[in-house]
Amino acid sequence: MELIDLLRELSDAFGVSGFEDEVRERITDLVSPYVDEVKTDTLGNLFATRTGKEEFTLMLDAHMDEVGFMVKWIDENGYLRFAPLGGWDERIIPSHRVEILTRSREKRYGVIGSAPPHILKEEERKQPIPLEKMFIDVGASSRQEAADMGINIGDPLTIHYPFTELCSGYVTGKAFDDRVGCAVMIETARRLAKRELKVNLVLSFVIGEEVGLRGARTAAYQIDPDLALALEGTIGADMPGIPEENQPVRLGRGPAITVADHTIIVSRRMVEALEQAAVTEEATIPYQYKLPTYGGTDAGAIHLSRAGVLSGVVSVPCRFIHSPTSTLRLNDFENTVRLVTRFIEALPDILR
């Protein structure tokens, strides 16, 4: 599968926090040919494992869930009210199309609406619309009609526009945070499938990162790794109006190595090992540093597991994350795969 097709399949899959079933099923099919064992735990975390020669375990982490919403009320006229699952910027929510997953796993569609500007007071038109004043129109004219469509309180939904290639090597889609990390892990497993590994490799596709690093916490406890590397899609802010010193990462400059964020201060030992993997006599993989201390990742939970885990973070730069139209450059994606693959092949010696 081409990298662009892999990313398309994962981006278009439904997987709001707490409802990762569809994306987990797709990942299972995609990664199974390249590993020795695949299993799912109680919470829905997916573990794909390859056995190495030495008693050393590397946990690769990426979260399957995406930011979304949940139906919290259906009024007598059939309009839906909704609550966020994960962090949203309220400014971008109105007027988008949404995809709703019913209990029968059928998809229903609607539009996020709000009072039109024509009937608002002047001061109201200047302010972002509060989430509690938004609603979803699914075409129902009553609560019963919405129920007949299979829509219930508690159903998850998200804003969804199909994955698209904007121009050669530049793509847009939803859920790049963190389906791009999942894609990096699957492609890394494919490239390593016929190579002998020194270390035990556990690919941990986890649930619930967007609502508090939940899956990573229990996954790390189960795996009990010697080393962990979280793979993410992170904050590409190289755009008009943002000073360079406030741009966490920039597109086209390769994978981003985290030195510190809101959840972890990465050990210098780990940062230097990733740098060493990027720069070899054979070839140099371009990389950058994610400027501290923006955001947070599953590494924040993993490095505190049990007696502590040496952990790091490598990310693919993505503009407009936590929106339905995240964008990335495929060369950054490719170079992230190259860096992670080379890092794994150098373990455990690269840490000594």
Side-chain angles (χ1 to χ4, degrees), residues 4 7 163-173 176 238 251-252 317-320 325-332:
I4 191 171
L7 194 56
F163 179 96
T164 304
E165 187 172 13
L166 296 178
C167 62
S168 180
Y170 188 61
V171 299
T172 182
F176 286 2
D238 49 330
L251 271 64
C318 301
R319 294 193 191 117
F320 323 128
T325 51
S326 296
T327 60
L328 63 80
R329 293 195 180 278
L330 292 178
N331 62 345
D332 288 330

Side-chain angles (χ1 to χ4, degrees), residues 48-345:
T49 304
R50 275 200 62 194
T51 303
K53 296 195 306 180
E54 298 188 16
E55 292 297 320
F56 185 101
T57 298
L58 169 65
M59 174 184 180
L60 283 188
D61 163 275
H63 65 91
M64 299 181 288
D65 62 313
E66 61 186 292
V67 293
F69 306 94
M70 177 179 282
V71 177
K72 72 173 185 179
W73 181 247
I74 306 172
D75 73 19
E76 60 183 12
N77 295 312
Y79 293 108
L80 316 182
R81 300 289 181 166
F82 55 101
L85 293 175
W88 282 96
D89 181 347
E90 292 186 354
R91 297 173 303 167
I92 71 168
I93 297 174
S95 303
H96 284 298
R97 188 189 80 156
V98 297
E99 183 177 66
I100 305 165
L101 183 68
T102 67
R103 294 182 185 181
S104 64
R105 297 194 67 175
E106 291 184 294
K107 304 282 180 63
R108 300 297 183 190
Y109 299 90
V111 176
I112 297 175
S114 57
H118 313 71
I119 63 173
L120 296 177
K121 297 177 182 179
E122 183 176 355
E123 59 271 19
E124 290 177 321
R125 290 198 297 269
K126 298 177 181 178
Q127 302 297 325
I129 302 168
L131 191 64
E132 60 268 19
K133 291 189 177 181
M134 300 181 203
F135 55 85
I136 297 172
D137 185 351
V138 294
S141 59
S142 68
R143 182 180 292 131
Q144 185 59 52
E145 279 195 18
D148 291 343
M149 295 170 68
I151 299 172
N152 291 276
I153 291 174
D155 286 347
L157 60 117
T158 194
I159 303 171
H160 183 185
Y161 295 99
F163 179 96
T164 304
E165 187 172 13
L166 296 178
C167 62
S168 180
Y170 188 61
V171 299
T172 182
K174 74 171 181 64
F176 286 2
D177 177 12
D178 184 32
R179 303 292 164 70
V180 66
C182 296
V184 168
M185 293 213 305
I186 294 167
E187 178 61 16
T188 297
R190 187 190 71 80
R191 296 186 186 189
L192 292 173
K194 295 183 179 180
R195 304 181 194 179
E196 188 175 63
L197 298 181
K198 289 184 179 180
V199 302
N200 301 310
L201 177 62
V202 182
L203 309 178
S204 179
F205 301 90
V206 303
I207 62 97
E209 190 266 1
E210 299 292 359
V211 288
L213 316 184
R214 297 177 185 180
R217 184 171 290 108
T218 61
Y221 187 90
Q222 295 173 76
I223 296 168
D224 192 16
D226 297 286
L227 181 70
L229 185 63
L231 301 171
E232 265 283 9
T234 200
I235 313 163
D238 49 330
M239 61 187 70
I242 309 296
E244 190 169 358
E245 66 270 19
N246 292 336
Q247 299 173 8
V249 300
R250 300 169 65 87
L251 271 64
R253 296 192 177 183
I257 297 173
T258 292
V259 292
D261 61 31
H262 284 155
T263 62
I264 185 174
I265 299 172
V266 179
S267 165
R268 183 70 59 85
R269 181 182 174 205
M270 186 69 173
V271 172
E272 290 176 350
L274 289 165
E275 293 169 343
Q276 186 177 337
V279 182
T280 67
E281 293 181 358
E282 292 78 22
T284 295
I285 299 170
Y287 68 91
Q288 60 187 303
Y289 300 104
K290 180 182 175 183
L291 302 187
T293 54
Y294 299 97
T297 73
D298 279 336
I302 295 168
H303 86 290
L304 299 177
S305 181
R306 293 182 180 256
V309 179
L310 181 63
S311 302
V313 186
V314 172
S315 303
V316 179
C318 301
R319 294 193 191 117
F320 323 128
I321 63 171
H322 285 211
S323 85
T325 51
S326 296
T327 60
L328 63 80
R329 293 195 180 278
L330 292 178
N331 62 345
D332 288 330
F333 180 21
E334 164 66 24
N335 282 324
T336 304
V337 173
R338 291 176 62 211
L339 175 59
V340 174
T341 301
R342 191 184 286 180
F343 179 72
I344 294 170
E345 290 180 315

